[in-house]
Amino acid sequence: MEMVENNTVNVELNGLPKSDKSPQKRGADINYGIDDAPPWYLSIFMALQHYLTMIGAIVSIPFILTPALCMEDEDPSRGIIISTMIFVTGLVTYIQATWGCRLPIVQGGTISFLVPTLAILNLPQWQCPSKDVIATMNPDEKSELWQIRMRELSGAIAVSALFQVFIGYTGLVGKLLKIITPLTIVPTVSLVGLTLFSHASETASKHWGIAVATIFLMTLFSQGMTEVQVPTLKYRKGHGIQVGWFPLFKLFPVLLTIVIMWALCAVLTATNIFPEGHPARTDVRIRVLLDASWFRIPYPGQFGMPTVTLAGVLGMLAGVLACTVESISYYPTVSQMCGAPPPPLHAINRGIGTEGLGTVLAGLWGSGNGTNTFGENVGAIGVTKVGSRRVIQWAALIMILQGVLNKFGAAFIMIPDPVVGGIFCVMFGMIAAFGLSALQYVDLRSARNLYILGLSIFFPLVLCLWLKDHPDFIQTGNETLDSTLSVLLGTSILVGGCLGCVLDNLIPGTPEERGLIAWSNEMALKVEDTTNDEMTSTFDFPYGMQLLRSWKWTRYVPFLPTYKMKL
């Protein structure tokens, strides 16, 4: 695991190790900044917190995907797909945090890819046969039934992601920052949280009492008890055992909430207050744990050689475009939240290119999904106020190990749905709020800005809901075009972001009114000719920087930290 070079001296403040290199230069109220390295024992628990934050969303995707693949409920291959997705999430997250944009973000499966995936599988040639027909098949035929569909998805995901790799590593995505303004960011990010409300509602409504209690504890720990510290025993050489004070609630609000509510559900399960089969029982997914293998290493092409079709690639490209805009929106937000300088162009270019590379790997591994910045974990940074890159690297290691040790991950899959629903209510709300926070750069007294804002948020919700209720409305006579248009117009974050971008760049407005001046400073659109400032050290590669700086030509490569070209 990469060790970030840091010549600062750690001091202990109220029991919390802090770096004298303050991470709060941009007004971020955080406990650990991006370059801070918490003690390893704290890092593991904080990493586990991030793992628990993303596991619910990760697991929900295969459970939606596998029925569309014509896979039976009792098929043990479900666990293989789940482990593969988590393994790839850990692998790509580590690459992104260490060599990519180097922000403390988790790269994992996304609903944005699930929408075009379901559209592809709804095509006539991929629709599932009846259950009676499937029941007559032998095990090999059943495996081939879903694996041929997985190969189609794998090829579509891997090839369409090459577009993201291209615009990232060639620097074209940096050029797009001229037209991606705050009024593009606001609808894109806020709609992620707003459109996910149905997923939060679906899980929380399985037992509102447990979900509301989860929300209450999360609020109490993360907002009301941040200054409460608990006594702990610690050993210091030369001083013996001493009593220290540890900010437990400030650092682990998510983990504490999940553990307490999980334990409560276990008690209610053991006493049979929750009847058999109730979604709040802790044994409702016990079969997942029993069927999971102890050890299995996922590998590329494990379900066969991916196939490529034009319809699949064009349909999946909608998910790639949506994820690109979404991730660009998250980068400055995450950077500010973790006390880092504004992300420079080379970090943004490299981040998008690495995300595309991760999606290619996800396709080749057969996860049935791509990779994108996890909004849930962005929200976790805001709740826990821990933005350390080291913590995310530990989280990536946990994910990789879980992808190999299937029993380990299956245990966390047993977290009751209402608990996950309560966490979602908090996290998705945080995502929507972070999206709206970009409005601080624009003039909200401007009727022009209010018009763009209102239309770009409200219209996508109306359009996407209507298309969901009328899936056969688009009939051009070309099935490939029908599928592509349905996916493009049915993705709210893509529609909202594009609408906000077009309107903001076409409707006349002053730079101050549009927030372009403040936003350009936030995004660091001008690359300064410096080599030793804090911004460069934060987003530098962990190794080899001295060699890169000795080569003059590297300043023209848009994804290297030595990049010095201006927009």
Side-chain angles (χ1 to χ4, degrees):
M1 185 168 295
E2 172 233 355
M3 298 295 179
V4 179
E5 292 185 3
N6 194 340
N7 296 323
T8 59
V9 179
N10 287 337
V11 297
E12 191 167 317
L13 179 61
N14 294 328
L16 176 64
K18 297 280 285 186
S19 169
D20 64 356
K21 178 181 176 181
S22 174
Q24 304 182 18
K25 287 184 175 296
R26 301 169 67 201
D29 178 20
I30 55 175
N31 301 314
Y32 289 103
I34 186 171
D35 289 320
D36 290 336
W40 66 269
Y41 50 88
L42 287 183
S43 295
I44 291 177
F45 281 104
M46 295 174 186
L48 181 61
Q49 188 168 238
H50 273 283
Y51 175 85
L52 292 174
T53 300
M54 53 73 66
I55 189 64
I58 278 286
V59 170
S60 66
I61 293 175
F63 274 94
I64 297 172
L65 173 64
T66 50
L69 289 173
C70 312
M71 186 182 294
E72 294 181 311
D73 293 341
E74 62 273 13
D75 195 326
S77 296
R78 280 190 166 205
I80 296 177
I81 294 178
I82 293 173
S83 295
T84 299
M85 183 171 290
I86 298 176
F87 179 87
V88 173
T89 296
L91 182 64
V92 178
T93 295
Y94 184 81
I95 295 174
Q96 184 72 283
T98 307
W99 298 97
C101 67
R102 289 182 56 77
L103 288 170
I105 58 177
V106 174
Q107 297 278 161
T110 171
I111 299 296
S112 298
F113 274 99
L114 188 58
V115 175
T117 293
L118 295 178
I120 292 172
L121 295 177
N122 280 330
L123 295 176
Q125 63 268 32
W126 299 122
Q127 290 183 1
C128 297
S130 65
K131 292 183 178 179
D132 294 337
V133 174
I134 296 178
T136 62
M137 295 180 176
N138 59 47
D140 292 337
E141 291 174 335
K142 290 180 180 179
S143 295
E144 180 62 19
L145 182 66
W146 69 263
Q147 288 185 9
I148 190 174
R149 287 162 174 77
M150 179 62 81
R151 292 194 289 270
E152 171 72 10
L153 295 180
S154 298
I157 291 170
V159 174
S160 63
L162 294 176
F163 171 78
Q164 201 173 24
V165 174
F166 175 76
I167 65 172
Y169 289 135
T170 60
L172 290 179
V173 69
K175 306 297 183 181
L176 295 177
L177 293 178
K178 282 188 172 182
I179 61 174
I180 298 178
T181 62
L183 287 176
T184 303
I185 303 299
V186 171
T188 303
V189 178
S190 60
L191 281 171
V192 173
L194 294 176
T195 55
L196 287 174
F197 80 92
S198 61
H199 299 279
S201 174
E202 182 180 355
T203 51
S205 62
K206 294 181 179 180
H207 195 290
W208 280 111
I210 297 296
V212 172
T214 301
I215 296 173
F216 172 78
L217 287 182
M218 177 78 79
T219 305
L220 179 65
F221 294 157
S222 66
Q223 304 299 320
M225 299 181 65
T226 55
E227 301 302 323
V228 177
Q229 302 189 30
V230 298
T232 57
L233 296 178
K234 60 181 181 180
Y235 175 81
R236 294 181 60 185
K237 187 176 181 180
H239 296 82
I241 298 177
Q242 297 179 330
V243 177
W245 296 90
F246 183 74
L248 179 67
F249 302 103
K250 177 182 287 188
L251 292 181
F252 303 111
V254 178
L255 185 58
L256 283 174
T257 300
I258 291 177
V259 170
I260 292 174
M261 294 308 301
W262 198 353
L264 175 62
C265 289
V267 173
L268 297 177
T269 299
T271 56
N272 287 322
I273 293 179
F274 290 145
E276 289 291 334
H278 193 284
R281 288 180 65 96
T282 54
D283 60 357
V284 71
R285 297 193 185 103
I286 191 66
R287 186 169 181 177
V288 177
L289 179 63
L290 297 176
D291 291 344
S293 60
W294 283 102
F295 183 83
R296 183 182 186 278
I297 300 178
Y299 56 92
Q302 58 185 332
F303 306 128
M305 182 65 67
T307 59
V308 179
T309 61
L310 181 61
V313 172
L314 291 180
M316 205 63 73
L317 188 59
V320 172
L321 293 174
C323 290
T324 301
V325 175
E326 188 177 346
S327 290
I328 291 176
S329 306
Y330 277 132
Y331 289 166
T333 301
V334 175
S335 182
Q336 184 176 27
M337 288 168 59
C338 63
L345 284 177
H346 64 79
I348 297 173
N349 293 336
R350 196 165 59 250
I352 296 300
T354 303
E355 181 175 308
L357 179 61
T359 299
V360 173
L361 295 179
L364 296 178
W365 248 270
S367 69
N369 204 268
T371 61
N372 190 28
T373 302
F374 248 128
E376 293 89 340
N377 293 85
V378 173
I381 295 176
V383 172
T384 64
K385 297 179 176 61
V386 174
S388 170
R389 183 189 299 118
R390 181 70 57 80
V391 170
I392 296 298
Q393 291 169 332
W394 275 105
L397 179 60
I398 292 176
M399 297 172 202
I400 293 174
L401 290 176
Q402 188 282 313
V404 175
L405 304 173
N406 291 359
K407 291 285 188 183
F408 178 77
F412 289 109
I413 293 172
M414 295 172 63
I415 299 174
D417 286 344
V419 177
V420 176
I423 298 294
F424 280 176
C425 288
V426 176
M427 295 303 176
F428 295 162
M430 291 287 290
I431 296 170
F434 285 135
L436 294 173
S437 68
L439 291 174
Q440 64 183 296
Y441 305 107
V442 305
D443 184 2
L444 290 179
R445 297 169 298 180
S446 167
R448 168 198 182 273
N449 291 345
L450 293 177
Y451 179 87
I452 296 173
L453 176 65
L455 184 60
S456 60
I457 290 180
F458 188 78
F459 178 72
L461 294 175
V462 174
L463 177 64
C464 295
L465 180 61
W466 188 84
L467 286 175
K468 182 179 180 181
D469 295 334
H470 301 81
D472 298 326
F473 175 76
I474 299 178
Q475 297 290 339
T476 64
N478 185 299
E479 291 183 356
T480 300
L481 183 59
D482 292 345
S483 175
T484 303
L485 291 177
S486 297
V487 171
L488 290 173
L489 297 178
T491 307
S492 61
I493 57 177
L494 182 63
V495 175
C498 291
L499 185 59
C501 180
V502 171
L503 293 178
D504 190 38
N505 284 278
L506 291 182
I507 299 177
T510 64
E512 293 82 1
E513 182 182 18
R514 299 172 60 193
L516 297 184
I517 296 177
W519 181 244
S520 64
N521 294 330
E522 185 73 17
M523 292 298 295
L525 295 182
K526 293 183 178 180
V527 183
E528 302 295 338
D529 189 16
T530 57
T531 56
N532 296 316
D533 59 17
E534 184 181 357
M535 179 173 64
T536 302
S537 63
T538 296
F539 295 98
D540 271 356
F541 288 147
Y543 313 106
M545 286 305 304
Q546 185 175 0
L547 182 62
L548 283 178
R549 292 193 177 103
S550 67
W551 294 335
K552 300 296 184 181
W553 57 268
T554 61
R555 67 178 57 197
Y556 304 107
V557 181
F559 60 86
L560 293 179
T562 49
Y563 182 55
K564 299 303 175 187
M565 299 296 290
K566 300 180 185 293
L567 282 178

